[in-house]
């Protein structure tokens, strides 16, 4: 190919840049570009637009994109973890407030048995505790403290002793003063116990919880 017009070279430039021309056509384009400043200028501008990044450039871009993604993902994981901690704390706090303040919920998980004694002096003898329902003490509920409290307004102390169903003495002469809470940790949950008392109180209020 001896000479080709500028208009034809301009049409061939994209294929020339991509390396898609046959060798003799590419050679003709090269010769024209070497002799034609206008087409050479057009070639240089088009080459900057159409030339793809080299493989190393692409790898570097991929690496930077991956690192940016990792940083973004780490931030997301941290945000999710912090959100989970905040939500867990909120649920625990709300549960504690409901447990302490809402009587129905408190009684569901930690039922309380209250015994009011009026003119219940035993004069040194042992007498059964007069339960309002049934004739046994039974700690139920997941969070039962297994303790007894004598109301601060009670006239005097109350002494207790506790027997199991096999008539084994499991708590012997436990004295509770007005306003005092005493542990009954040795007793089992969901087990029936018989409780006896001695007191000289005209009024006393026991709370088993």
């Amino acid at each position: 190919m001896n000479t080709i017009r500028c208009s034809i070279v301009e049409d061939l430039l994209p294929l020339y840049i991509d390396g898609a021309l046959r060798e003799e056509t590419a050679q003709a384009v090269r010769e024209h570009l070497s002799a034609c400043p206008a087409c050479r200028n057009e070639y240089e501008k088009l080459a900057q637009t159409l030339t793809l990044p080299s493989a190393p450039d692409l790898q570097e871009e991929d690496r930077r994109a991956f690192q940016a993604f990792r940083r973004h993902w780490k931030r997301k994981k941290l945000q999710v973890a912090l959100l989970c901690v905040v939500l867990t704390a909120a649920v625990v706090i709300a549960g504690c407030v409901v447990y302490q303040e809402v009587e129905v919920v408190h009684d569901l998980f930690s039922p309380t048995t209250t015994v009011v004694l009026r003119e219940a002096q035993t004069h040194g003898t042992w007498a059964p505790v007069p339960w309002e329902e049934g004739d046994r003490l039974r700690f139920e509920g997941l969070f039962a403290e297994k303790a007894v409290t004598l109301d601060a307004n009670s006239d005097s102390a109350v002494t207790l002793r506790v027997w199991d169903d096999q008539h084994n003495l499991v708590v012997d002469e436990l004295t509770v003063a007005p306003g005092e809470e005493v542990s009954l940790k040795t007793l089992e949950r969901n087990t029936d116990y018989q409780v006896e008392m001695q007191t000289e109180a005209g009024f006393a209020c026991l709370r088993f919880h």
Side-chain angles (χ1 to χ4, degrees):
M1 185 178 293
N2 296 324
T3 60
I4 52 178
R5 295 193 302 273
C6 290
S7 58
I8 296 177
V9 170
E10 290 177 2
D11 291 340
L12 293 175
L13 281 178
L15 296 176
Y16 175 74
I17 292 171
D18 288 343
L21 296 177
R22 292 191 304 174
E23 177 56 32
E24 57 268 29
T25 304
Q27 179 61 33
V29 172
R30 280 194 292 270
E31 291 175 356
H32 183 88
L33 292 176
S34 63
C36 179
C39 287
R40 186 165 57 249
N41 183 58
E42 184 65 24
Y43 161 75
E44 291 174 353
K45 290 191 296 183
L46 192 61
Q48 292 178 357
T49 303
L50 297 181
T51 302
L52 295 174
S54 62
D57 291 338
L58 288 175
Q59 292 175 0
E60 179 63 22
E61 289 180 7
D62 290 343
R63 186 184 66 81
R64 288 197 296 267
F66 179 69
Q67 289 178 342
F69 172 78
R70 287 184 61 185
R71 289 193 296 269
H72 176 74
W73 177 240
K74 286 181 178 179
R75 287 196 298 269
K76 283 293 183 184
K77 289 199 297 183
L78 180 60
Q79 291 172 356
V80 171
L82 290 175
L83 179 60
C84 289
V85 170
V86 171
L87 290 177
T88 301
V91 169
V92 171
I93 292 172
C96 290
V97 171
V98 171
Y99 174 74
Q100 292 294 333
E101 301 299 331
V102 180
E103 184 176 358
V104 173
V105 176
H106 188 279
D107 290 345
L108 178 64
F109 289 96
S110 300
T112 299
T113 300
T114 301
V115 179
V116 178
L117 306 174
R118 299 183 186 277
E119 303 302 328
Q121 297 91 338
T122 61
H123 306 292
T125 62
W126 290 99
V129 170
W131 309 104
E132 291 186 4
E133 296 182 5
D135 59 355
R136 295 286 189 274
L137 170 65
R138 184 181 180 91
F139 287 112
E140 296 180 333
L142 182 62
F143 301 107
E145 298 176 42
K146 295 191 296 183
V148 57
T149 301
L150 182 60
D151 190 273
N153 295 317
S154 300
D155 291 343
S156 65
V158 177
T159 301
L160 303 172
R161 64 181 184 183
V162 182
W163 306 80
D164 63 18
D165 278 347
Q166 286 73 44
H167 206 65
N168 298 312
L169 185 64
V170 292
V171 176
D172 187 16
E173 298 194 16
L174 179 69
T175 299
V176 189
E180 183 181 17
E181 177 183 303
V182 178
S183 174
L184 295 172
K185 292 294 186 184
T186 56
L187 304 186
E188 300 291 335
R189 288 187 178 87
N190 303 316
T191 302
D192 292 330
Y193 294 97
Q194 181 181 355
V195 184
E196 297 178 329
M197 66 177 188
Q198 283 185 354
T199 184
E200 298 305 321
F203 169 80
C205 180
L206 290 165
R207 186 167 62 89
F208 296 86
H209 51 93

